[in-house]
Amino acid sequence: MIGPAKNSVPATNPTKKLLLSPDSIINLDHGDPTMFEPYWRKLGEKCTVEISGSDLMSYCSDIGNICWFLEPQLSDAIKRLHRTVGNAVSEDRYVVVGTGSTQLYQAALFALTSPGGAEADPISVVCAAPYYSSYQEETDFLRSGLYKWAGDAYSFDKDGPYIEIVTSPNNPDGAILEAVVNRKEGKLIHDLAYYWPQYTPITHPADYDIMLFTFSKSTGHAGSRIGWALVNDKVVARKMTKFIEVSSTGVSKESQLRAAKILGVAIEGCQHSDSENFFKYGQCLMAERWEKLRDVVKNSQIFSLPKYPQEWCNFISKYSESHPAFAWLKCKEDTNCESLLRAHKILTRGGERFGVGQEYARISLLSRERDFNQFLERLSGIKTAGQGIRTT
Amino acid sequence: MIGPAKNSVPATNPTKKLLLSPDSIINLDHGDPTMFEPYWRKLGEKCTVEISGSDLMSYCSDIGNICWFLEPQLSDAIKRLHRTVGNAVSEDRYVVVGTGSTQLYQAALFALTSPGGAEADPISVVCAAPYYSSYQEETDFLRSGLYKWAGDAYSFDKDGPYIEIVTSPNNPDGAILEAVVNRKEGKLIHDLAYYWPQYTPITHPADYDIMLFTFSKSTGHAGSRIGWALVNDKVVARKMTKFIEVSSTGVSKESQLRAAKILGVAIEGCQHSDSENFFKYGQCLMAERWEKLRDVVKNSQIFSLPKYPQEWCNFISKYSESHPAFAWLKCKEDTNCESLLRAHKILTRGGERFGVGQEYARISLLSRERDFNQFLERLSGIKTAGQGIRTT
């Protein structure tokens, strides 16, 4: 669902300070984390990587490691980062690097279902609705005989083996979730892309069999396509590595090198005062955006937002509530929320894509500031559900 | 088949001038193109890229392009390179970038078979034997309902739609190939990874519907995982882009940026004298290695190599023969060539992996010089097929 949208604001050229005209389309459909650019720009040279023409030419990074294409310095940085932030147990875990967590999700499905039997049915893959809109497509697009999307975990009643994806904080709605099916034939994949201090209180180090994280959401470097899995079981780590070997013969070494550098700077920043600490900076920025958004929604007759409980965050040493990367906006019943917003030239993703009703829409809050402010301005101008759109 | 091999020579740390002991394993199983490192090292700063912490953060590169995650400067460099080398028609073609040509091969299968029908059989995928050993695994590992490996194109006799992969020059044997099935229900994917002057005479600009190339083999930058497809049909380009979107949400921007830079330097080098011209330098180097190898094989009682015809190469403006990236070594009948070499601590890939007999083995000629020389030394010492191994 990323891709061309006519007349939309260019996502590239961040330095061009285009003024948004009232006719400009604001694309908040995908969670492009460009809001974090100013932080990294401010750090200047400190995060710069230099790569010479003869560097990183081999397929191999670490032939003694199960994940033979993982740069050792990235593996080290990942483990240190989790220790510093306290969001996941990383000691004695296998690290598998992927081309974004997108690829690792598929690697995990493969690892948990292969080799399968020639006559066996594909294993069911479920997730509690509302679930991340891309899981279904990523699971089913090749019509694999190994696994098959089976929808909402709450209504799953088939016997036998299954895989449940637990996304926490949840995409789209930011909720903190646990597995819901809980049967012994089940295997779990924990997608923890948003379990970082800027989005939610860090209440404990997560400790699950397969945990997925991504550079895109941790520090905002989506263009690098770096994700990582922390994996308990050696056989699973080996099969996930095999998947990435067969599907792309490894993962960009340039991106791995740069991710190692930037994660290193982020770790170092955690020793410093608030504005130098990326995660505290991010937490303040997200809290500010949510405050502004809640102000607009409070004055609206037709929109509402989820409430999040206050929790103690070990990282910022304060009680705080979640400030998710997406707003999960609900319209008055029977209003198609996505269509309503589209009529105001705001592109979002409707609830049906997440397995729930059209009264919901997911809106990225990670855009550049100009787009976020323009979004608020337009949102505050929507007074009735009938403004220029079809309702059902 | 890349990955850990006990006691093998580390592929990393090129600067460590380890001496090879007679007990060291020489891994020539995969085509890791490290032989080109000295060329790029010599160029120094000229190829260095510098990437700051706030660069390349967005998922998007060019939202107006079908391949929305393709950096425009890479697209430009690719088209200029093909014009300069004269190996493929790139004007008026869609460029789709992938995480290596590995991912693009799968993207092409998807593009040519999706959406498929719920009841339809998977479409047969064939390739003339000996064929690249990974095609079968890449085609079948997810047990897709869209496509299915059907083996050697020469013995394919099933009616209905099919896909034929044409690899030219061929991997493993370096032969120049054309499609062999030639029925109107067929669709073709041309894998032209090795159609570069260092490996084979450039006799004409290739002009096919889907042509795959890779940074790994063109300039030797395998670690970057950059491949590209030149595609005639808009719908196919769109579906290939869709595949890469769903499987990895795009392709590393760091790698794309660096590939654009290095291809640019290679293009510029083509205006200069021989030693500055990467492709002429590579052509000389490969010719030299082949000459040494043929000398050893000529004196052997048990090994033989394919012969290649002299052809006019438009790029070097000379008659020349092919100097493939792999030696396709044949042992006297009934000798298992891979086992024989393994007994001498040379890791290669046996003929059965390529759909032919065990008397063949594929040997990478792209290793660092030290390994190549040690390989020749050991090969020249093998006098009989029975030296320390099982024969059938």
Side-chain angles (χ1 to χ4, degrees), chain A residues 58-70 237-238 241-246 249-250 253, chain B residues 1-12 25-32 132 134 137 347-349 353 362:
Chain A
S58 172
Y59 289 104
C60 301
S61 295
D62 186 5
I63 54 170
N65 190 347
I66 285 183
C67 188
W68 55 267
F69 47 77
L70 168 61
R238 208 185 288 283
T241 299
K242 181 72 184 171
F243 176 93
I244 292 166
E245 180 183 325
V246 178
T249 328
K253 308 243 181 286
Chain B
M1 274 306 293
I2 299 176
K6 276 187 189 168
N7 306 320
S8 69
V9 179
T12 47
I25 288 172
I26 307 175
N27 192 340
L28 304 176
D29 173 71
H30 54 275
D32 207 14
Y132 175 41
S134 295
E137 190 169 40
L347 301 186
T348 65
R349 202 172 291 183
R353 299 276 310 283
R362 190 196 76 167

Side-chain angles (χ1 to χ4, degrees), chain B residues 105 109 125-128 135 149 163-167 187 189 191:
Chain B
Y105 167 72
L109 293 184
V125 180
V126 299
C127 187
Y135 288 147
W149 181 250
I163 295 169
E164 180 176 348
I165 320 300
V166 182
T167 314
K187 287 173 181 165
I189 300 170
D191 182 344

Side-chain angles (χ1 to χ4, degrees), chain A residues 1 32 58 224 245 252 254, chain B residues 1 32 58 224 245 254 258:
Chain A
M1 277 306 292
D32 207 15
S58 172
S224 306
E245 180 183 325
S252 161
E254 289 87 344
Chain B
M1 274 306 293
D32 207 14
S58 172
S224 306
E245 180 183 323
E254 289 86 344
R258 184 161 175 248

Side-chain angles (χ1 to χ4, degrees), chain B residues 245-294:
Chain B
E245 180 183 323
V246 178
S247 71
S248 61
T249 328
V251 174
S252 161
K253 309 242 180 286
E254 289 86 344
S255 290
Q256 289 191 60
L257 190 76
R258 184 161 175 248
K261 174 92 174 195
I262 288 172
L263 295 184
V265 171
I267 293 162
E268 199 194 308
C270 290
Q271 319 308 324
H272 293 290
S273 68
D274 287 8
S275 74
E276 283 178 59
N277 180 322
F278 171 75
F279 298 104
K280 289 187 180 175
Y281 163 91
Q283 202 271 342
C284 289
L285 206 58
M286 291 305 297
E288 218 175 81
R289 288 198 172 185
W290 270 92
E291 198 182 332
K292 290 181 184 170
L293 175 64
R294 288 201 186 272

Side-chain angles (χ1 to χ4, degrees), chain B residues 22 26 296 346 371-382:
Chain B
I26 307 175
V296 169
I346 303 164
D371 294 16
F372 176 73
N373 290 335
Q374 181 66 229
F375 155 65
L376 287 186
E377 202 177 308
R378 292 192 195 168
L379 193 70
S380 63
I382 305 176

Side-chain angles (χ1 to χ4, degrees), chain A residues 15 52 57 72 83 85 97 99 144 147 186 202 205 210 214 241 249-250 264 274 277 281 295 335:
Chain A
T15 51
S52 87
M57 289 185 71
R83 273 202 302 276
V85 172
V97 67
T99 309
S144 174
Y147 45 77
I202 302 302
I210 304 176
T214 165
T241 299
T249 328
D274 288 7
N277 181 322
Y281 163 91
D295 269 353
T335 302

